[in-house]
Amino acid sequence: MMTTPRRLDRRPARTAPVVLLALVLLVLGGLGVWTLGSLVIDGSWPASASAAIADLGALRLDSTPVLVTGCVLAVLGLLMVLAAILPGGRSRMRLLEDDVPGSTVISRRDLAGRVHARTEEVDGVQSTQVDVGRRTVSVHARTVVDEVGPVESGVREAAEAAVAELRPDTMPSIRVRMRRID
């Protein structure tokens, strides 16, 4: 029996390298089945692939195209292995840290929605767009007010309050950019 619950802020699996490799292998496998199937059934290579097969058969292993292709495939394989081994970034932010076992998390999208709702309530703001990264919350606000200083400080205070109420594990920095529209 586990004494502590599972973490809610797990790192996502790295499926992109696996999907990419699967697609490449599927295409190469389909080409291989087509060419070898044609060789077995007709007794000769397909007409559209015979020139490429003859060119590949004429290459020596110490030729430059073979060595370059080998190096490129080795580097791609190493990158895929590293991407599969190294975990991805956390997609959720931990909140309300205390001594109680377990964790409370919020997704970055939900945090962005919370900050967006709070910053649009500031006087003088017409619209906002919020992007939440691992360490920053970026707020892009649009206003029609000529004096953007007070509006910018109001947007910053609203964003900081929206994040601080959740008591995150690490407080992200708030970056506010104002744009005056006509």
Side-chain angles (χ1 to χ4, degrees), residues 5-6 9-10 17 44 50 65 95 103 105 128 131 137 145 147 162:
R6 287 185 338 157
D9 62 339
R10 295 182 306 272
S44 63
S50 62
L95 306 173
S103 60
V105 296
T128 61
D131 297 317
V137 175
V145 178
E147 189 64 36

Side-chain angles (χ1 to χ4, degrees), residues 49-124:
S50 62
I53 292 173
D55 291 341
L56 285 175
L59 286 177
R60 295 174 38 121
L61 290 179
D62 62 348
S63 67
T64 304
V66 172
L67 293 176
V68 169
T69 302
C71 289
V72 167
L73 290 177
V75 168
L76 287 176
L78 182 64
L79 288 176
M80 285 187 190
V81 167
L82 286 176
I85 291 173
L86 299 175
R90 298 187 191 281
S91 60
R92 296 177 180 93
M93 183 180 287
R94 296 183 75 176
L95 306 173
L96 306 170
E97 283 297 313
D98 53 16
D99 296 334
V100 178
S103 60
T104 304
V105 296
I106 187 170
S107 70
R108 289 192 178 123
R109 184 182 343 166
D110 290 341
L111 180 61
R114 179 182 178 90
V115 173
H116 175 76
R118 291 284 180 88
T119 55
E120 278 202 340
E121 293 175 0
V122 175
D123 286 338

Side-chain angles (χ1 to χ4, degrees), residues 8-182:
L8 296 176
D9 62 339
R10 295 182 306 272
R11 294 176 185 255
R14 293 293 198 136
T15 56
V18 174
V19 170
L20 180 65
L21 182 62
L23 288 174
V24 168
L25 291 177
L26 183 66
V27 169
L28 290 176
L31 287 173
V33 166
W34 170 65
T35 55
L36 291 176
S38 178
L39 178 65
V40 168
I41 293 173
D42 297 336
S44 63
W45 296 108
S48 58
S50 62
I53 292 173
D55 291 341
L56 285 175
L59 286 177
R60 295 174 38 121
L61 290 179
D62 62 348
S63 67
T64 304
V66 172
L67 293 176
V68 169
T69 302
C71 289
V72 167
L73 290 177
V75 168
L76 287 176
L78 182 64
L79 288 176
M80 285 187 190
V81 167
L82 286 176
I85 291 173
L86 299 175
R90 298 187 191 281
S91 60
R92 296 177 180 93
M93 183 180 287
R94 296 183 75 176
L95 306 173
L96 306 170
E97 283 297 313
D98 53 16
D99 296 334
V100 178
S103 60
T104 304
V105 296
I106 187 170
S107 70
R108 289 192 178 123
R109 184 182 343 166
D110 290 341
L111 180 61
R114 179 182 178 90
V115 173
H116 175 76
R118 291 284 180 88
T119 55
E120 278 202 340
E121 293 175 0
V122 175
D123 286 338
V125 173
Q126 183 169 357
S127 66
T128 61
Q129 178 183 355
V130 179
D131 297 317
V132 178
R134 288 175 47 195
R135 295 184 187 102
T136 60
V137 175
S138 298
V139 181
H140 301 276
R142 296 170 57 157
T143 183
V144 293
V145 178
D146 290 334
E147 189 64 36
V148 296
V151 178
E152 182 177 358
S153 63
V155 169
R156 183 177 310 281
E157 290 171 5
E160 288 174 352
V163 174
E165 286 174 356
L166 297 174
R167 295 191 326 226
D169 186 21
T170 56
M171 184 70 171
S173 64
I174 309 293
R175 184 172 52 196
V176 176
R177 293 188 179 164
M178 296 296 298
R179 182 173 174 209
R180 188 182 172 288
I181 56 174
D182 294 324

